Amino acid sequence: VSTKRLVLVSLLAAAIGGSIAAGRGRGRPAPTPEPTPESAALAGDQPGERDEAGDRSRGPAGLRAAPVAGAAGEPAIQSSDGFETLELTPQQKQVLHELEALGPTRLARAVAQIILGGYHHEALVAKNGLSMDEFAARRMAILKADPQRTLALLDGALHLPSLAQPDVAYARGTLLGIAAQLPQQGQRTSELALRELTERPLPPIPAPSPAQLRAASPEERAALTPPRPEYNVEAYAHAVYVETSPDPRAALGGTVKAIVAQQDPSLRTRLVGQLLQKHPQLASDLTAALASAGVFLPSAPAEATPSSEAL
Amino acid sequence: VIGMISCSSTRTLILAAVGGVALLASSTAYAQVPFHKGRELICTSNGSCAVKSMPLVAQCGSTSDPPDADVSFYCGVACATTSFNMIISAAYANRTKTQAYASGTRSPTFFALPTGNKNGRNSYIPRQATKHDGSYYPANGLPTPSSLPAAYTMQNAIYDFAPTTSPFALKFTTLSPSGCGINNWWSCAASNTMGKYFWTGWLLTNNSTMDNAFVDTKQDDSWVTMFSFFHQTVNVFTSGITTFVEYRQVNAHKVAASGYTYSTNPNTGTIRINDAGNGLSRRATIGIKFATVESTYAQTPNGPMLVHQTVTSLPLGANSQPYLKFTDENEIKLLDALDHISMY
């Protein structure tokens, strides 16, 4: 039902917008692009400017998206596809606050809504009827229009203390995903991804503890087994790196650096697989380069522990 | 009469059975003629096969048939023991009856096994109990393999029927590979001059050939099988830019294969399962899941642009793993190992 309602509203908005645009178009110079609802929702500043009015209007945590006058004639914020109604955790609020401090506000809000929206995707879909792809695409349109400053923002975001914690690892990974979509920023994106891989080495995943092995139920074992999203994000950073590397040889060199830096055997094996999936012709070169670096990987990942088999 | 048949002869057999139905059509329009396949299977002409004489046992028993007192403490983790009971009971019951023990044409080390009773469960339990509490290992001068109570597995079974217990000097059972020992949990086979009769720990991690047809063929070839696999929980994060899918291992389980439903494409059929966890007969399918990065691109003036990536992470460092999915559940469970047994 909500989807149908959204379609009707969208059609109505399009019809109204179209008639306005048509009216403007008669006998006049080509109009500037009409601001979309989402661009209005994210409005805080014009490119190159900070939105001080927007900053002042927010509450202490920077979450209240009450209608705010946009800069330089942009319309007031009316909606952010339901994002402003989400109940963010204190840590997520801190991420939002630190991102907005980086600015530009309009870009920072778009980034924040993408990376934090993922933690509330079910609520967002329920609220706005949009798929997450649609939700993100609206914000990416704004970010793609200003790729250089967006990339600078993403670079800064990867240094934020609030985004260094494992429990927001997927938000951190999504920053790289945003970078990978920016036009003509492949080289810089690959540098960010490689920095992520080489400057954030993860230790080997420890073997299950005796308490985990003795768990009497799946629920108890799950409670004793911490999620490790940061390992998945490192694999993703490598995927972004391979996709955005200028050529296969560069991808090979960076992959070797990443494997040397990372200590977890399963992650190392995964990076090998990802590179060879994209560039299978590099198999022998990769083996030689790793051997030169003193890294010898097993042909197959580690086997399951005997204890898990016993159950 | 049918005896050992190869996989390639299976279709011929089915056609013959269908022909049999046609001959009977005049008297019984919809009659199906059950037929035997190998030693273990009884099949119908529509390709549905079941392992003969396999008990269906719940690892914690039932109100009317509770577990014995000395093992009841372990019922929560006794899926391996119970599944083993089911398949060894079926394998024992389906031995080639015409082969004489004394002539040396039957696996000699199984001679002393009693027939199953009490739903096939009671006969083996006293032996298992000593291993459940770990006493087997120190009693035999062996280090315990882990801090867990040692479950009774196919690996233990191989040592139960060790070659030194054979009364036939020339029929000693050998282990393969030669280095497999009681503390090497995986990949150990036992065989004698009648062929392999135990094969445990068929490692399937990163094995991309495991599918329904693989298991069907094993059963066609007179192996009774059981599976080890892991329960998974799935954690999904999606932002519209990326979708992270993370499988977390939360527990392990074992079930016995009790037949299959054949299809024109074997992998569209189902494996029939005797599930010791809930004591139900269920159907499941087997497939392959990969730890992958799947990318979606859009064509732009600057060339293809990455617009979405889905990153799937599997536990245990695996890049691919077969999975077992019960048809009545949404949860995906990754298959890990296949144990099988055959008796002559």
Side-chain angles (χ1 to χ4, degrees):
Chain A
V1 172
S2 60
T3 302
K4 290 178 179 176
R5 184 182 303 146
L6 179 75
V7 170
L8 289 174
V9 171
S10 299
L11 290 173
L12 183 60
I16 295 171
S19 63
I20 293 172
R24 282 180 178 170
R26 290 190 192 100
R28 298 184 182 187
T32 55
E34 200 67 25
T36 61
E38 57 275 11
S39 68
L42 298 161
D45 50 15
Q46 290 287 51
E49 300 174 13
R50 294 295 309 277
D51 175 22
E52 296 305 324
D55 287 342
R56 282 193 302 273
S57 71
R58 292 189 299 272
L63 292 180
R64 289 296 167 195
V68 173
E74 286 200 1
I77 295 175
Q78 297 298 330
S79 165
S80 58
D81 293 335
F83 181 85
E84 78 283 3
T85 65
L86 297 177
E87 295 185 7
L88 303 184
T89 66
Q91 186 177 10
Q92 292 165 357
K93 292 176 183 176
Q94 183 65 23
V95 169
L96 182 59
H97 181 72
E98 291 182 9
L99 272 173
E100 291 188 341
L102 284 177
T105 305
R106 185 164 175 266
L107 301 181
R109 287 181 183 172
V111 169
Q113 292 184 7
I114 290 174
I115 68 172
L116 297 178
Y119 292 98
H120 304 272
H121 68 268
E122 290 181 355
L124 268 179
V125 169
K127 286 177 186 295
N128 61 32
L130 295 173
S131 70
M132 289 305 290
D133 285 357
E134 293 168 323
F135 179 85
R138 290 183 174 190
R139 283 141 187 85
M140 280 306 303
I142 295 167
L143 300 174
K144 287 177 180 177
D146 198 351
Q148 290 189 340
R149 291 203 307 157
T150 297
L151 197 70
L153 171 65
L154 298 172
D155 189 350
L158 288 167
H159 287 95
L160 291 178
S162 62
L163 281 167
Q165 303 305 314
D167 55 347
V168 289
Y170 287 145
R172 187 178 184 86
T174 305
L175 292 174
L176 295 172
I178 294 171
Q181 292 195 23
L182 297 175
Q184 297 178 321
Q185 302 299 316
Q187 176 69 36
R188 291 184 64 195
T189 298
S190 73
E191 292 168 3
L192 290 185
L194 185 58
R195 188 181 75 194
E196 185 75 8
L197 286 159
T198 56
E199 296 184 5
R200 291 174 59 84
L202 297 174
I205 296 176
S209 66
Q212 289 172 296
L213 294 174
R214 292 178 187 279
S217 68
E219 293 75 19
E220 182 182 338
R221 184 171 182 141
L224 293 169
T225 306
R228 302 186 185 280
E230 64 272 27
Y231 289 82
N232 212 9
V233 168
E234 290 296 303
Y236 177 67
H238 180 254
V240 169
Y241 172 71
V242 172
E243 292 290 347
T244 54
S245 288
D247 59 69
R249 303 305 301 183
L252 171 65
T255 297
V256 171
K257 290 179 183 175
I259 290 173
V260 170
Q262 297 293 337
Q263 298 298 307
D264 181 64
S266 63
L267 179 58
R268 284 176 155 185
T269 303
R270 194 166 178 189
L271 302 191
V272 169
Q274 288 181 170
L275 177 71
L276 298 184
Q277 186 176 27
K278 179 77 173 180
H279 304 296
Q281 74 279 13
L282 296 177
S284 58
D285 291 342
L286 177 61
T287 302
L290 288 175
S292 296
V295 177
F296 299 91
L297 298 179
S299 57
E303 297 175 357
T305 61
S307 300
S308 60
E309 163 66 4
L311 297 178
Chain B
V1 174
I2 295 172
M4 293 289 289
I5 59 171
S6 68
C7 185
S8 59
S9 65
T10 304
R11 287 194 175 88
T12 305
L13 191 64
I14 291 172
L15 289 175
V18 172
V21 172
L23 291 174
L24 293 172
S26 59
S27 57
T28 308
Y30 300 103
Q32 297 204 340
V33 182
F35 61 93
H36 299 277
K37 185 184 289 186
R39 285 190 304 278
E40 272 80 40
L41 296 175
I42 181 74
C43 304
T44 63
S45 56
N46 66 7
S48 177
C49 295
V51 176
K52 295 179 290 185
S53 304
M54 178 180 278
L56 176 53
V57 187
Q59 64 194 61
C60 287
S62 64
T63 304
S64 59
D65 186 20
D68 293 359
D70 63 338
V71 296
S72 61
F73 175 79
Y74 299 106
C75 76
V77 294
C79 55
T81 299
T82 311
S83 295
F84 172 78
N85 273 351
M86 287 192 277
I87 69 166
I88 199 171
S89 176
Y92 184 72
N94 292 310
R95 286 192 301 177
T96 304
K97 298 295 189 292
T98 55
Q99 290 179 328
Y101 157 70
S103 69
T105 56
R106 173 181 292 181
S107 301
T109 51
F110 291 107
F111 174 74
L113 271 180
T115 55
N117 55 34
K118 221 179 163 185
N119 293 331
R121 176 166 55 81
N122 190 49
S123 297
Y124 312 110
I125 284 179
R127 303 185 62 170
Q128 299 155 23
T130 60
K131 294 187 179 182
H132 269 312
D133 66 15
S135 63
Y136 174 88
Y137 298 95
N140 288 274
L142 298 168
T144 51
S146 77
S147 56
L148 274 181
Y152 190 83
T153 67
M154 293 286 283
Q155 184 87 337
N156 301 132
I158 287 175
Y159 282 85
D160 259 3
F161 307 117
T164 54
T165 64
S166 170
F168 295 94
L170 298 179
K171 301 296 182 185
F172 279 177
T173 300
T174 58
L175 301 179
S176 178
S178 58
C180 72
I182 198 165
N183 289 323
N184 297 327
W185 210 268
W186 299 102
S187 299
C188 197
S191 60
N192 56 27
T193 54
M194 274 71 72
K196 288 187 176 66
Y197 59 80
F198 271 119
W199 200 331
T200 185
W202 179 291
L203 264 183
L204 298 171
T205 301
N206 288 310
N207 185 321
S208 60
T209 61
M210 181 67 185
D211 53 20
N212 284 354
F214 181 93
V215 179
D216 293 354
T217 301
K218 284 293 174 195
Q219 295 185 79
D220 286 348
D221 290 345
S222 298
W223 291 94
V224 189
T225 62
M226 67 182 192
F227 305 103
S228 167
F229 59 92
F230 297 116
H231 287 261
Q232 307 289 319
T233 59
V234 181
N235 178 40
V236 177
F237 172 96
T238 180
S239 64
I241 304 293
T242 59
T243 300
F244 292 98
V245 183
E246 185 182 8
Y247 288 89
R248 293 176 59 201
Q249 175 190 337
V250 295
N251 208 342
H253 193 37
K254 269 192 170 176
V255 295
S258 57
Y260 61 86
T261 299
Y262 183 80
S263 175
T264 305
N265 177 354
N267 284 322
T268 63
T270 55
I271 305 297
R272 185 170 151 175
I273 298 289
N274 275 10
D275 189 345
N278 54 15
L280 298 177
S281 178
R282 314 163 77 186
R283 290 183 299 125
T285 56
I286 296 174
I288 305 293
K289 181 162 286 294
F290 295 94
T292 57
V293 178
E294 297 175 6
S295 302
T296 306
Y297 299 92
Q299 190 64 38
T300 73
N302 301 318
M305 178 180 287
L306 182 68
V307 295
H308 192 93
Q309 282 188 319
T310 300
V311 184
T312 302
S313 180
L314 298 176
L316 301 173
N319 287 325
S320 67
Q321 279 188 313
Y323 67 84
L324 184 71
K325 182 179 183 302
F326 287 113
T327 54
D328 55 350
E329 289 184 13
N330 292 323
E331 181 186 11
I332 290 176
K333 300 165 180 176
L334 301 187
L335 194 63
D336 178 72
L338 171 71
D339 295 336
H340 40 302
I341 180 173
S342 178
M343 292 187 187
Y344 291 84

